[in-house]
Amino acid sequence: MALSTSPEAPIPVGQVSRLIGGWIDRLGAVWVEGQITQLSRRPGAGVVFLTLRDPSHDISLSVTCYRRVFDQVADVVSEGARVVVHAKPEWYAPRGQLSLRAAEIKPVGVGELLARLEQLKKSLAAEGLFALDRKRPLPFLPQLIGLVCGRASAAERDVLENARHRWPAVRFAVRNVPVQGARAVPEVIEAVRELDALPEVDVIIVARGGGSVEDLLPFSDERLVRTVGEARTPVVSAIGHEPDTPLLDLVADLRASTPTDAAKKVVPDVGEELTRVRQLRERALRAVGGFLEREERGLAAALSRPSIRHPQRMVAERAEQVDALLGRGRRTLGHLLDRADSELSHTRARVVALSPKATLERGYAVLQRGDGTAVRSPAEVTDGEELRARVSEGAFAVRVTEDTGDGNSAVTPSA
C-alpha cells in the first residue's frame, strides 16, 4: 500500500525497512539458476554464504543456506559452478539487504548445459551469425597481433613462443583476463573491444587451454559471441583442445584447434617463406630463361632463311626479270611503232594520190565562180561570165566566150 508522507510528516528508516521486509515476506519460494562467484564456509559456522550471479548479465544476489543444505552438494559444487537454488527472498532490516534463503541446491548437469548451448547455437545460427560469408580473411603478415588470454598461462606462452619462433619481428598487444569464473565474460568482452578499437591491431587471438565443459562456458556466452561477431578486426578462436567446440569457434573468422595451432595459422614461418621466395625466383628464372631460349631459336630460324641471309639475291633475281620484261616491252613497242609508221606512210601516199593538188600538178585546173563554187558543167556558166581558174602553181581570171560548135563554151584568159 502507498504511504502518505511529506517533508513535514516523514517516516523513520526503520519503519521503511520493516515495510519492505513485510512486502518481501509475502513472496513465495522460487527456483533460481546462476553461477557461484563467491563461496564462504567458515569452520564451525552453521550458515554458508555465497553469491549467485547471472552469467548473461552483470547482476548478482547474496544467498545463504544452512550448512546441512550445502553439505549435500559440497563435493560437486565450488566457485564457478552453475547451480539451481530453491530459495525464498529475505530482507535483513537492520542493514537493508536483500538475500535468498536456500532450502535446496542442485548442480546443473553437463547434459543440461549442452542442451542449452545447442539451443543457443541454433538461435544464433538462424540469425546468420555463423555464416561463412561473414568470415574475413586473415592478413598475410600481421604487424601487431592482439592476444586475449589468462595471465602467465600456458596458452599465452604457446602463442608467443611459437609466433616469435616463426617470425621473430612479430609484435603482440597482450590483454590478460580471467578465462573462467564469474569475471571471465565481461573482462574478455572488454579486452576484445579494446583491441578492436586499436587501428594498428591486424588480428585478435582469444586463447585458453583445455578444461571441462563448465570451465569453457564463458566462451559460449551469448554476449561474447555477439561482441566477436560485431568486431571489425578478424578474430581467431583458440579455446581448449581439438574436441572442444565453444560457440566462439563458430563465430570467429578462424578456428584454431590449440593456441599453438593459432600461432601457426596467424604468423607465417620465415623459413618457409624464404624457401617459397627462393622457389619462386628459381621458377621465374626458368620461365625467363625458357622464353629467351625460344626467342633465340626463333631469331636464329628467321636469320637462317635465304631471304634474310642473302637479301640481295632476291633483288638480283627480280632485276633480271625486270630487264627481260623491259626488253620485251621495248621490242613490242618498237614493232607497234614500226607497223604504225608503215600504215601511216601508206595512208599518206593514198591521201597524196587522191588529193586535188596532185590532180592539179598533172595539168588540170579548177574553175571557180566568184563565190568560190567549182564549175562542174558547161551549162552552169554563161557567155561572158568571169571565172577564176586554179592551177598547181596559182590562179588567174578567165572569161567565158561563145559556143565553139561542139556544144561547149570556151574559156579565155581575161585581160
Side-chain angles (χ1 to χ4, degrees):
M1 297 177 62
L3 299 177
S4 178
T5 62
S6 67
E8 292 76 17
I11 60 174
V13 173
Q15 184 178 351
V16 173
S17 182
R18 285 192 300 272
L19 289 173
I20 294 175
W23 294 331
I24 292 176
D25 285 341
R26 299 193 190 102
L27 300 176
V30 293
W31 286 97
V32 182
E33 180 189 353
Q35 184 180 27
I36 298 177
T37 58
Q38 292 181 358
L39 179 60
S40 176
R41 287 190 299 169
R42 297 176 182 176
V47 179
V48 177
F49 298 90
L50 53 92
T51 301
L52 200 61
R53 180 180 178 276
D54 186 342
S56 300
H57 303 86
D58 194 13
I59 299 176
S60 301
L61 281 176
S62 298
V63 179
T64 61
C65 66
Y66 292 112
R67 191 176 191 91
R68 57 179 174 77
V69 174
F70 187 82
D71 287 344
Q72 297 176 5
V73 293
D75 295 336
V76 293
V77 169
S78 61
E79 286 190 5
R82 284 180 177 248
V83 294
V84 175
V85 177
H86 189 235
K88 185 180 184 304
E90 287 187 346
W91 179 259
Y92 186 58
R95 293 186 181 177
Q97 293 179 345
L98 176 66
S99 64
L100 298 176
R101 170 71 68 171
E104 185 179 357
I105 300 176
K106 290 184 177 182
V108 176
V110 174
E112 185 179 357
L113 288 175
L114 294 178
R116 293 180 183 178
L117 289 180
E118 185 63 25
Q119 183 178 3
L120 178 60
K121 175 182 175 181
K122 292 180 180 180
S123 175
L124 296 178
E127 296 181 21
L129 209 58
F130 304 151
L132 293 179
D133 56 3
R134 292 174 55 92
K135 309 294 183 183
R136 291 156 295 187
L138 302 186
F140 167 70
L141 180 59
Q143 300 300 310
L144 182 62
I145 301 174
L147 176 60
V148 180
C149 59
R151 185 179 303 276
S153 61
E156 178 181 6
R157 183 179 63 254
D158 291 345
V159 172
L160 296 180
E161 290 183 357
N162 283 278
R164 287 167 179 162
H165 176 74
R166 293 171 65 82
W167 198 279
V170 68
R171 298 183 299 118
F172 280 90
V174 181
R175 299 295 183 270
N176 294 121
V177 296
V179 291
Q180 68 182 58
R183 296 173 50 242
V185 173
E187 295 203 21
V188 171
I189 290 175
E190 182 182 356
V192 170
R193 289 176 176 170
E194 179 184 351
L195 293 173
D196 185 48
L198 298 177
E200 60 271 19
V201 173
D202 298 320
V203 63
I204 299 173
I205 299 176
V206 182
R208 186 201 190 283
S212 63
V213 175
E214 293 84 350
D215 293 338
L216 300 183
L217 279 179
F219 299 97
S220 294
D221 187 87
E222 182 177 357
R223 291 179 300 159
L224 176 58
V225 171
R226 294 188 181 278
T227 298
V228 173
E230 296 169 357
R232 63 169 184 81
T233 308
V235 178
V236 177
S237 174
I239 306 301
H241 301 299
E242 182 67 32
D244 300 323
T245 54
L247 297 185
L248 182 63
D249 286 352
L250 303 178
V251 72
D253 298 288
L254 179 68
R255 176 189 181 266
S257 58
T258 62
T260 299
D261 184 51
K264 292 181 179 179
K265 290 182 176 180
V266 172
V267 181
D269 184 86
V270 63
E272 294 177 358
E273 296 305 319
L274 289 175
T275 301
R276 185 175 292 108
V277 170
R278 183 172 60 255
Q279 292 173 348
L280 291 175
R281 291 183 60 186
E282 293 173 355
R283 180 180 175 184
L285 288 174
R286 288 195 299 270
V288 173
F291 174 77
L292 292 177
E293 290 178 0
R294 289 194 300 273
E295 294 301 316
E296 287 178 353
R297 288 195 297 268
L299 182 59
L303 292 176
S304 65
R305 296 178 181 177
S307 59
I308 301 299
R309 295 186 62 183
H310 304 287
Q312 67 278 7
R313 180 183 298 176
M314 182 182 297
V315 176
E317 292 175 355
R318 296 296 184 271
E320 293 176 359
Q321 294 179 4
V322 170
D323 292 341
L325 292 174
L326 182 60
R328 181 180 175 183
R330 286 176 176 174
R331 289 192 299 271
T332 301
L333 182 60
H335 293 326
L336 293 175
L337 292 175
D338 292 342
R339 184 182 301 173
D341 183 67
S342 178
E343 292 178 354
L344 182 62
S345 298
H346 290 303
T347 302
R348 182 174 179 278
R350 289 196 298 271
V351 170
V352 171
L354 296 176
S355 68
K357 185 178 180 181
T359 302
L360 294 176
E361 288 178 351
R362 289 197 299 272
Y364 291 95
V366 177
L367 295 177
Q368 295 175 321
R369 291 189 181 90
D371 58 1
T373 59
V375 179
R376 293 179 174 81
S377 172
E380 296 178 353
V381 297
T382 60
D383 185 27
E385 183 180 357
E386 289 187 358
L387 302 175
R388 186 175 180 79
R390 185 177 180 82
V391 295
S392 173
E393 297 298 331
F396 56 88
V398 297
R399 184 182 301 276
V400 179
T401 62
E402 60 183 1
D403 189 355
T404 59
D406 56 2
N408 298 322
S409 298
V411 178
T412 56
S414 298

